[in-house]
Amino acid sequence: MTTGSSGALSVALCRDPRQFAALEEPWNALFRSCRTATPFQSHAWLHSWWLSYGRDGRLRVVLVRRGGELVGAAALMLVHRPLPLLVPLGGGITDHSDVLVADEYADRVVPALARGLHQAARGAVVDLREVRPGAAAEAVFAQWPGARSRLADSTCMELPALPFDELVKRMPASGAQRVRAKLRKTDAAGIEEREVTEYEVPRAVRTLLRLHEKQWRGRGVTPEHLRPRFAEHLTRATRRMVRTGEGRLTEFRLEGRVVAANVTLLSGSFSGGYLYGADPDLRTRKVDVATLLLRYETGRALEDGRQVVSFLRGSEPYKNHWRPETVVNQRFLMARTALAPLLRLHESQVTGRERAVGALREALPAARDWRARLGELRVR
């Protein structure tokens, strides 16, 4: 670990995974002192991810201390493809990335953290993906002393934590009527919910992932969700987050059998449904799982005093039924002034890929229509 100073603050770069592991207690205190932090900045999530996905020699964690107190942090990893980048720990399975800044000392910590990141970057571009609007990283980006660029990233959907009847009233009358009818059928089925304990998490995660694979079978399940490293990470992180109150795993039982399970990640005012699994046979009982889960999660958010219930990334049609707020994550690119050409090259590669993906998405409906017409001709 190398150190420097910034007034009464000290700035350090941690490269040792063992030292990162030992930061759990001060990291958790910092996490709780940063009002904009999402659950994905918790030590439980980041350290577990590193154990499953990290690569030797690549850890780069910038730390800002005030005396012995940790007041700022940025957890990153060095990658070399397609070019040298410093990227947040958490990777593609993380919905929101950010840095941590203690609110009480933000005016001093932000410039110190910016300088620490600037020093750590050296010959790499800092690429902070999936930054939620209002995040602490916005202030660091604003004070970055070198080249920088801001891009749009993934779309997220969020609801205010309101009584469920109030959320239903936000819908068009016909949609609200359908939801109430679905809930009557769900309640008639007699489904019971139960939050599992820390020690039950390993068994419950296995059940959740089995149900998740079953519900998506033949419909394009996310491949990473079926890999052992993801199961190891989700089990380890969820167990720690249940212990510290940063997450919960809820099982829904019918006639004594688990028919659905849901992992919810928590921070200050934020509640996000991360991953669920449900038995497809529930459809034969006319149980709408998405509505069942949302009613439960909004109720729990209200009990806990949380203000936001997030669907996290994605703008799937079923989310739009609830008239949620659309929140677009940001992507911050930062580099030393001398590396401005490298940043612009990376920016052009990113935007080029995004245009290609956008064109593909526009072409898919036409391709589906073409395949459907071809099928009709074959039937004839």
Side-chain angles (χ1 to χ4, degrees):
M1 180 176 288
T2 59
T3 62
S5 64
S6 178
L9 303 179
S10 64
V11 183
L13 179 63
C14 173
R15 300 185 182 208
D16 186 343
R18 293 170 299 180
Q19 291 179 337
F20 180 42
L23 286 171
E24 179 177 6
E25 186 175 339
W27 194 286
N28 286 343
L30 171 60
F31 173 74
R32 290 189 291 270
S33 73
C34 182
R35 60 181 172 77
T36 60
T38 75
F40 301 103
Q41 282 75 65
S42 68
H43 191 271
W45 183 266
L46 294 172
H47 182 249
S48 177
W49 183 90
W50 171 260
L51 292 176
S52 290
Y53 294 89
R55 300 186 64 180
D56 290 344
R58 303 290 182 83
L59 185 66
R60 302 288 189 273
V61 183
V62 180
L63 305 170
V64 180
R65 290 187 173 90
R66 179 180 177 269
E69 180 185 6
L70 186 64
V71 292
L76 307 168
M77 182 175 73
L78 178 66
V79 299
H80 293 295
R81 294 182 182 178
L83 45 82
L85 301 172
L86 278 180
V87 299
L89 300 190
I93 62 171
T94 293
D95 290 71
H96 295 299
S97 295
D98 198 5
V99 300
L100 289 176
V101 173
D103 293 337
E104 185 178 357
Y105 308 109
D107 59 335
R108 298 164 59 203
V109 172
V110 166
L113 190 57
R115 287 192 292 270
L117 278 170
H118 188 266
Q119 183 178 0
R122 296 179 181 269
V125 173
V126 180
D127 187 350
L128 299 183
R129 295 206 59 181
E130 307 297 0
V131 178
R132 193 167 177 254
E138 284 186 345
V140 173
F141 179 78
Q143 296 204 25
W144 183 256
R148 59 183 183 169
S149 181
R150 182 199 305 251
L151 304 172
D153 218 331
S154 300
T155 297
C156 301
M157 299 290 190
E158 298 181 356
L159 287 171
L162 297 171
F164 194 72
D165 286 345
E166 294 297 318
L167 291 178
V168 174
K169 290 177 183 177
R170 290 158 55 99
M171 306 176 73
S174 59
Q177 189 174 10
R178 285 194 296 271
V179 166
R180 293 188 181 100
K182 289 176 181 178
L183 286 176
R184 285 194 293 271
K185 293 174 182 177
T186 297
D187 292 338
I191 294 176
E192 300 176 343
E193 65 270 350
R194 175 178 173 273
E195 294 178 15
V196 307
T197 67
E198 169 193 351
Y199 304 103
E200 296 171 309
V201 165
R203 184 269 307 161
V205 168
R206 288 194 296 271
T207 301
L208 184 155
L209 291 176
R210 175 179 57 78
L211 290 171
H212 183 73
E213 187 278 331
K214 189 176 181 181
Q215 84 182 41
W216 284 100
R217 190 175 297 161
R219 297 191 295 131
V221 67
T222 301
E224 187 60 33
H225 291 165
L226 305 182
R227 296 192 173 113
R229 65 182 181 182
F230 178 78
E232 292 166 1
H233 161 66
L234 189 63
T235 300
R236 184 170 48 233
T238 303
R239 187 168 183 175
R240 285 178 56 185
M241 296 173 91
V242 167
R243 182 197 314 151
T244 58
E246 296 159 1
R248 61 173 169 261
L249 200 166
T250 309
E251 292 184 332
F252 298 82
R253 293 174 178 264
L254 180 61
E255 298 170 353
R257 182 171 61 93
V258 178
V259 293
N262 185 46
V263 168
T264 307
L265 304 183
L266 309 166
S267 62
S269 63
F270 181 96
S271 172
Y274 181 69
L275 189 73
Y276 78 92
D279 193 326
D281 291 343
L282 287 174
R283 289 196 291 267
T284 64
R285 293 178 177 259
K286 307 299 182 182
V287 172
D288 186 87
V289 175
T291 303
L292 169 70
L293 296 180
L294 183 59
R295 180 174 63 170
Y296 181 79
E297 292 302 334
T298 54
R300 288 291 282 111
L302 279 172
E303 289 177 20
D304 296 343
R306 304 188 195 280
Q307 299 168 2
V308 174
V309 177
S310 176
F311 291 118
L312 300 180
R313 286 181 295 181
S315 54
E316 294 85 349
Y318 81 89
K319 298 177 182 179
N320 286 300
H321 295 328
W322 299 95
R323 294 189 171 176
E325 179 185 356
T326 299
V327 178
V328 179
N329 285 342
Q330 305 164 93
R331 185 171 188 169
F332 294 143
L333 306 181
M334 299 175 285
R336 294 186 174 191
T337 302
L339 292 180
L342 190 64
L343 184 149
R344 300 306 170 198
L345 172 62
H346 182 51
E347 182 180 16
S348 67
Q349 292 174 338
V350 168
T351 54
R353 285 194 296 269
E354 288 175 348
R355 284 195 295 270
V357 170
L360 179 60
R361 285 174 177 164
E362 290 179 3
L364 279 176
R368 293 192 188 102
D369 183 60
W370 180 83
R371 285 196 296 268
R373 290 174 182 270
L374 182 60
E376 291 173 3
L377 289 173
R378 285 173 175 167
V379 170
R380 290 172 188 168

